[in-house]
Amino acid sequence: MRLKDIEKKADEIRRSLSKQYGFKQSSYINWKIKDGYFFCLNTLHVVHTQLEVKPLFMDDLYWKIIYYGHKEMKFPDSLRGNGILALLSEKIWEESFPEGLKTDFNAEQYEQIMSNAFLKAETEIDSFLRKYPHPNLFKQFMSDNNRSKILTQLLVLINDEKYEEASQLAKRHIENKPHFLCEYVIENVKKNEYEFILDYCLERIK
């Protein structure tokens, strides 16, 4: 069976299981929104899956900053997991499946593997929400798990209205010639997201 056909069959199996466990599906992701968080079961190339999480405010704030003072872009919730916004997520759990699934695909085996993955995801989501029941506690999750993604730190600081601290962090990062997710051209002005964030914070500090 060709890999393309295998992926198509795998998608069909995931879609059926997704409904059973209260997830939605878009391409290679299954996702749900719960208690202000976006949870995404990201299943790549049939043989790997990982559960990711982020507060909804991160995506919403990101676009608000990029389009500050302009008409904000509207996006489907699925874009939180399989578009540019996906890189704002943090991994909770991951698992690899037998490599043989890519060459010798067995539908019954894959259905059992993915059923277990959905069950594990539900357990992990429940555990996460017991520890961090409110999105404003996401910074505690970052601290507890030694996560240090700069963009996440900035968005959390801005959500907490700590604009001075966020502006200083953004400045330092820009001076270090950062790797960035994307550049945007708004009204013929081209900037990366850290430059947009810095301008947004400075406007708030005035």
Side-chain angles (χ1 to χ4, degrees):
M1 188 183 297
R2 295 179 305 171
L3 181 58
K4 183 177 180 180
D5 295 327
I6 289 173
E7 290 177 340
K8 181 179 179 180
K9 183 62 178 178
D11 284 351
E12 292 173 357
I13 292 171
R14 284 193 299 106
R15 190 175 301 280
S16 177
L17 290 170
S18 180
K19 294 177 182 178
Q20 294 181 35
Y21 292 99
F23 285 74
K24 296 182 180 180
Q25 181 162 315
S26 177
S27 186
Y28 55 87
I29 68 167
N30 297 91
W31 56 273
K32 68 166 55 179
I33 290 173
K34 191 171 183 179
D35 296 347
Y37 290 100
F38 180 82
F39 294 97
C40 177
L41 192 60
N42 187 329
T43 304
L44 297 172
H45 309 306
V46 183
V47 294
H48 181 266
T49 193
Q50 62 186 42
L51 181 64
E52 303 163 347
V53 64
K54 59 183 166 181
L56 296 177
F57 74 70
M58 287 183 59
D59 294 333
D60 300 338
L61 189 54
Y62 183 84
W63 279 136
K64 180 179 179 180
I65 291 170
I66 299 301
Y67 289 92
Y68 178 60
H70 305 278
K71 184 178 180 180
E72 293 179 31
M73 178 181 291
K74 303 298 181 182
F75 56 88
D77 282 326
S78 61
L79 189 62
R80 299 177 189 271
N82 62 5
I84 186 67
L85 297 173
L87 295 178
L88 298 176
S89 297
E90 293 288 343
K91 182 171 60 181
I92 299 178
W93 157 77
E94 66 179 335
E95 183 174 329
S96 295
F97 306 150
E99 280 288 334
L101 284 170
K102 293 176 72 173
T103 55
D104 187 21
F105 185 77
N106 181 292
E108 290 183 2
Q109 179 190 18
Y110 186 73
E111 183 173 3
Q112 185 59 58
I113 287 172
M114 282 309 306
S115 181
N116 292 339
F118 276 105
L119 283 171
K120 175 66 173 176
E122 287 288 84
T123 299
E124 293 292 335
I125 289 171
D126 289 344
S127 176
F128 177 91
L129 290 175
R130 283 195 297 272
K131 293 178 183 177
Y132 315 104
H134 192 279
N136 286 342
L137 294 173
F138 193 67
K139 56 181 173 289
Q140 186 61 48
F141 164 78
M142 297 287 290
S143 175
D144 290 345
N145 293 276
N146 297 315
R147 306 295 173 87
S148 57
K149 191 183 295 182
I150 297 297
L151 188 54
T152 300
Q153 292 181 46
L154 286 167
L155 293 172
V156 167
L157 285 170
I158 293 170
N159 185 63
D160 290 342
E161 299 184 353
K162 296 180 179 179
Y163 302 117
E164 180 63 41
E165 189 175 346
S167 69
Q168 293 303 317
L169 178 58
K171 281 181 184 178
R172 290 196 300 271
H173 197 57
I174 291 169
E175 289 169 357
N176 290 333
K177 298 181 179 180
H179 169 75
F180 49 84
L181 296 181
C182 196
E183 286 185 320
Y184 300 89
V185 179
I186 308 294
E187 294 188 349
N188 297 319
V189 177
K190 183 178 182 180
K191 295 186 290 188
N192 67 55
E193 66 263 25
Y194 296 105
E195 293 168 326
F196 277 104
I197 285 171
L198 177 58
D199 289 347
Y200 182 86
C201 290
L202 293 177
E203 182 67 26
R204 289 292 187 276
I205 294 169
K206 288 180 181 178

